[in-house]
Amino acid sequence: LGTVEEALSRLPEDQKSILRARYMDDETYEEIAKKLGKTEASVRKVVSRALKKLKESIQIGTDRNKSGEKRDE
């Protein structure tokens, strides 16, 4: 779980808040878009990019752990 938390902490605040709204608060893309004054398409794009960054960051962290490198804690 530490790796996920580390990856989330590296995201820009706008991406974190949109992911939080979508996945923790179960808001729809439409609800998030209205709340932020954005289009639904732009919110979907932010979510997609943020998830891609998370996946890459988690993969890097996992690869480091497998190679025996210490994580910064």
Side-chain angles (χ1 to χ4, degrees), residues 30-72:
E30 182 180 4
E31 292 169 331
I32 298 166
K34 284 182 181 179
K35 181 173 69 174
L36 298 176
K38 297 179 177 278
T39 65
E40 188 175 331
S42 70
V43 170
R44 286 181 181 275
K45 189 173 282 191
V46 169
V47 168
S48 177
R49 288 179 179 162
L51 291 175
K52 182 178 178 182
K53 284 183 183 180
L54 281 176
K55 182 179 177 181
E56 291 169 355
S57 183
I58 290 168
Q59 183 63 44
I60 290 168
T62 302
D63 291 345
R64 284 185 184 151
N65 289 339
K66 287 180 183 175
S67 69
E69 293 180 30
K70 289 187 177 181
R71 289 190 333 221
D72 295 333

Side-chain angles (χ1 to χ4, degrees), residues 8 10-22 32 36 38 42-43 45-47 49-50 53:
L8 280 168
R10 292 186 189 107
L11 290 177
E13 192 57 44
D14 64 320
Q15 289 182 350
K16 282 192 279 196
S17 66
I18 289 175
L19 285 180
R20 191 177 305 116
R22 179 70 181 123
I32 298 166
L36 298 176
K38 297 179 177 278
S42 70
V43 170
K45 189 173 282 191
V46 169
V47 168
R49 288 179 179 162
K53 284 183 183 180

Side-chain angles (χ1 to χ4, degrees), residues 4-5 25 35 50 70:
V4 174
E5 291 170 350
D25 301 336
K35 181 173 69 174
K70 289 187 177 181

